[in-house]
Structure formats: C-alpha cells, structure tokens
Amino acid sequence: ESNDLEHKLAPVKAQTSNDNEDPMARALVNFSIRGFGPDAQKEMMSYVIDNNISMRITGAAATMLTLSAANDNHAAVITAMDYDVAAGVLIAQEAGAQISTHDYRRDGMDFTAIIAARNPAIFGALNKQVQKSLAQFDQVVAPITPDFSAP
C-alpha cells in the first residue's frame, strides 16, 4: 500500500532511451543511508533534490533490493549489515541488477554501502555520487562488485 506522499506524486515512468535526458531525472530510488553519517547524508540528499530523483524509504533492506530487481524501483542505496541484505543482493543480481558495495570507516566503525540498479546509467551515476559523498568526508571508500556465481 502506498503512503500519502506516494499518492500525491505523479507515477514514475521507466527510463526512456532519450540520450539527452539525465538518467537520474525522475528515477525512483530506495534509500537507507543512516550509516553515511550526517554530512554524507546531507551531500546525498542534495544530489537527490538537485537531480529531481524520487525517493522511497521502505525500511527493509532485502525488500529494497528485491523492489529494484523487480524494476518497481530504479535503484537502491543501502547501508546495512551483510546478513540483512544477503538474500536481497542475490535476488537482485539474479534478476539482472548490477550490484556494488563500498566499504568505508566512519567514527571508528566499519560500514558497507550497497548499490543495486538494473539501468547501467543509473547504476553508474549512483556509484559516482556515493563515492563522492563518502570520500569528501575523509572516509575510506573501496568499491567492490560482489560475485555470487556458483563455483
């Protein structure tokens, strides 16, 4: 069931093939970025506003990832524990989404940011922005693309 804000927003259409259009314009991205810390959160939310991205916060990391896999969202950006996202990452990857992780340290604690998107342009834009948001605050960022294929 949609919340009141989603009822008021115009439906988000799938990305068009128009090469002149910003791939992030009107994208619907699920966010759970509490682990970014206040400064990086502010940087990321400024990016969301500046690029007219529709934001959704559903709460459960695995649900966010499976919504991206089903193309109900264009992407997901999540900071969560590995065990909270493992199933969702596998489902999203099997459905054709690109997945990357960014390991970083903030306030003496280790965190992982996960990005999932089926559209390569959206995936690339979000990876670039996450790296920027985390790196500018002296946080160590190491992008990794996990491989869950069978041995």
Side-chain angles (χ1 to χ4, degrees):
E1 182 175 315
S2 297
N3 64 31
D4 287 340
L5 180 59
E6 287 179 307
H7 285 291
K8 295 174 187 171
L9 296 174
V12 177
K13 304 274 188 209
Q15 295 298 309
T16 65
S17 60
N18 182 350
D19 292 335
N20 297 325
E21 186 176 359
D22 177 4
M24 296 307 296
R26 299 185 330 270
L28 178 59
V29 180
N30 217 321
F31 286 95
S32 176
I33 57 173
R34 185 174 55 203
F36 276 18
D39 292 335
Q41 283 179 14
K42 186 180 351 178
E43 171 71 24
M44 194 70 188
M45 291 303 102
S46 293
Y47 176 75
V48 167
I49 292 165
D50 293 346
N51 288 283
N52 197 28
I53 298 168
S54 296
M55 184 171 72
R56 177 183 278 172
I57 302 171
T58 56
T63 300
M64 292 178 179
L65 290 162
T66 55
L67 286 170
S68 296
N71 228 13
D72 286 343
N73 288 342
H74 290 102
V77 179
I78 301 166
T79 56
M81 304 301 288
D82 290 343
Y83 55 81
D84 286 337
V85 298
V89 165
L90 181 59
I91 291 167
Q93 191 171 41
E94 288 295 317
Q98 294 177 292
I99 308 288
S100 68
T101 62
H102 302 263
D103 296 320
Y104 61 99
R105 181 175 284 274
R106 182 180 62 79
D107 299 331
M109 295 177 59
D110 293 331
F111 291 89
T112 300
I114 297 157
I115 300 168
R118 292 181 72 171
N119 179 312
I122 291 174
F123 180 74
L126 285 172
N127 269 289
K128 183 177 177 181
Q129 182 58 42
V130 166
Q131 289 175 3
K132 178 182 175 191
S133 294
L134 296 176
Q136 75 175 9
F137 300 109
D138 297 325
Q139 297 168 337
V140 178
V141 180
I144 302 164
T145 303
D147 180 11
F148 292 103
S149 58

